[in-house]
Amino acid sequence: MWKTILRRVLLMIPQVIILSILIFMLAKMMPGDPFTGLISPTTSPSRIAELREQAGLNDPWPQQYVRWVGNALKGDFGVSYNYKYAVTTVIGQRIGNTVRLAIVTVILTYLIAIPMGLFAGRYQNSWFDKFVVAYNFISFAIPVFVLALIMLLVFGYRLDWFPTTGSVSINSSAGSFRYFLDELYHVALPAIVQALLGTAVTIQYLRSEVVDAKQMDYVRTARSKGVPTNRVFTRHIFRNASLPIASQLGYEIVALISGSVVIERIFNYPGIGNLFISSIQQRDYAIITALTLIFGIATLIGTLISDIVMSIVDPRIRIQ
């Protein structure tokens, strides 16, 4: 397995190179630059031209790309034009919030999806199965921003059960257990919104696999030998039905880390998704290129993680 993982990692190198070229070219094709519209009206055009020259924006694109890649390999993505700090510092201050949101969302998603999918498949055509099917249709059809705004209005403003902004209270002291609980309290509502909308695919996969597995020969054999029904479902049916879930684990974590833009924006949650949107609006190319590259690499890593998890769940499966 380790040789296969190493081979996959080596294959990722040319993919990352191509990805970096595309990211850099797309960023340069965006209209304007970091100094467009962000300088005082009294600033002379010669001063703006001087700033562009100092930032290296007048150099040929290949030269800028080589300089950017060389610095990125050293962990230097430049300085944010908006925050006036190193890009790694700006991203590092926010990536922990996004990772926390992704982890809590995945946990809630599986806590909801696994029981619902398993019992819906086990008790097919029952009232519970019909409820799950209806729930899937509704959750799949509702746009994330609609549910987020409704939940924010009801549970954030009307009932005042959850905070409506930020990742932690101002008066919390960092490093304490109370601080940790406060972080979870702030991440709860956006995580619930993402989890409710992210369960549809997992539930449908699991339900379909359970329904199909009930007709398999190994299940009939186990039942004919007098194996209790609960053991048949937990040790035979569920283990085989969990393969699609395992295959999606890496993708889901990465997708949540790189795709929580809407949720973070609505809840004003200080994560890298919110940072990405604000950087686009402010033409902060250093952060835009760094985040896009991180998202692309994370996607490649998520593919590898999914394959590894599948091989652990079912030893018969080998990474190709």
Side-chain angles (χ1 to χ4, degrees):
M1 177 185 292
W2 292 109
K3 292 182 179 179
T4 305
I5 295 175
L6 179 60
R7 185 170 64 250
R8 288 286 300 274
V9 172
L10 294 176
L11 289 174
M12 289 169 56
I13 295 177
Q15 294 175 326
V16 172
I17 294 175
I18 296 174
L19 176 65
S20 65
I21 295 174
L22 293 175
I23 291 171
F24 184 83
M25 296 299 293
L26 290 174
K28 289 301 178 182
M29 291 171 63
M30 292 177 62
D33 57 46
F35 304 107
T36 302
L38 299 181
I39 305 297
S40 172
T42 60
T43 305
S44 63
S46 60
R47 177 54 182 166
I48 296 178
E50 182 183 350
L51 291 173
R52 288 188 176 123
E53 182 67 27
Q54 291 176 357
L57 297 179
N58 295 331
D59 296 337
W61 285 12
Q63 183 177 344
Q64 294 185 47
Y65 170 75
V66 172
R67 182 169 59 243
W68 175 64
V69 171
N71 293 333
L73 292 175
K74 301 175 185 177
D76 179 13
F77 288 95
V79 177
S80 168
Y81 294 103
N82 181 48
Y83 296 95
K84 309 303 180 184
Y85 288 103
V87 172
T88 52
T89 301
V90 177
I91 295 176
Q93 293 174 345
R94 293 163 174 77
I95 194 170
N97 294 331
T98 299
V99 171
R100 186 184 308 110
L101 175 60
I103 292 175
V104 175
T105 300
V106 169
I107 293 174
L108 292 177
T109 298
Y110 284 126
L111 286 178
I112 297 172
I114 291 178
M116 292 182 70
L118 182 61
F119 284 102
R122 180 174 178 176
Y123 302 106
Q124 186 181 9
N125 297 324
S126 64
W127 67 267
F128 182 78
D129 181 36
K130 295 178 181 178
F131 165 77
V132 170
V133 172
Y135 167 82
N136 267 2
F137 277 116
I138 295 174
S139 63
F140 193 77
I142 296 180
V144 60
F145 68 90
V146 173
L147 181 61
L149 290 174
I150 293 175
M151 298 284 280
L152 184 63
L153 174 64
V154 175
F155 297 101
Y157 289 102
R158 295 290 177 84
L159 299 178
D160 197 22
W161 288 359
F162 296 96
T164 58
T165 184
S167 62
V168 69
S169 301
I170 300 177
N171 56 355
S172 297
S173 56
S176 63
F177 183 68
R178 184 175 182 179
Y179 185 87
F180 172 73
L181 293 178
D182 193 37
E183 287 181 322
L184 293 181
Y185 179 52
H186 278 74
V187 83
L189 188 57
I192 291 173
V193 173
Q194 289 196 129
L196 290 175
L197 297 181
T199 55
V201 175
T202 303
I203 290 175
Q204 190 59 39
Y205 267 131
L206 186 56
R207 178 186 177 277
S208 299
E209 290 293 327
V210 170
V211 171
D212 294 339
K214 289 192 300 183
Q215 310 300 324
M216 296 296 179
D217 292 336
Y218 68 89
V219 174
R220 296 176 181 175
T221 302
R223 286 178 171 173
S224 65
K225 291 182 178 180
V227 178
T229 302
N230 289 335
R231 183 174 296 181
V232 170
F233 273 91
T234 55
R235 291 193 178 183
H236 298 278
I237 295 179
F238 178 68
R239 181 173 181 178
N240 289 277
S242 64
L243 290 178
I245 299 177
S247 66
Q248 296 294 322
L249 179 61
Y251 294 108
E252 288 187 6
I253 295 176
V254 172
L256 288 170
I257 293 176
S258 59
S260 301
V261 176
V262 176
I263 289 293
E264 291 183 6
R265 199 67 174 173
I266 292 176
F267 288 93
N268 196 22
Y269 188 76
I272 58 176
N274 200 355
L275 175 65
F276 186 65
I277 292 298
S278 62
S279 299
I280 293 176
Q281 294 173 338
Q282 297 158 356
R283 300 181 180 87
D284 201 334
Y285 293 141
I287 292 182
I288 294 172
T289 53
L291 283 178
T292 309
L293 183 62
I294 291 173
F295 294 158
I297 295 175
T299 302
L300 297 176
I301 295 175
T303 303
L304 181 61
I305 292 176
S306 295
D307 292 339
I308 295 174
V309 172
M310 284 194 64
S311 65
I312 294 174
V313 173
D314 190 346
R316 297 172 299 176
I317 297 177
R318 292 294 179 263
I319 302 175
Q320 301 297 326

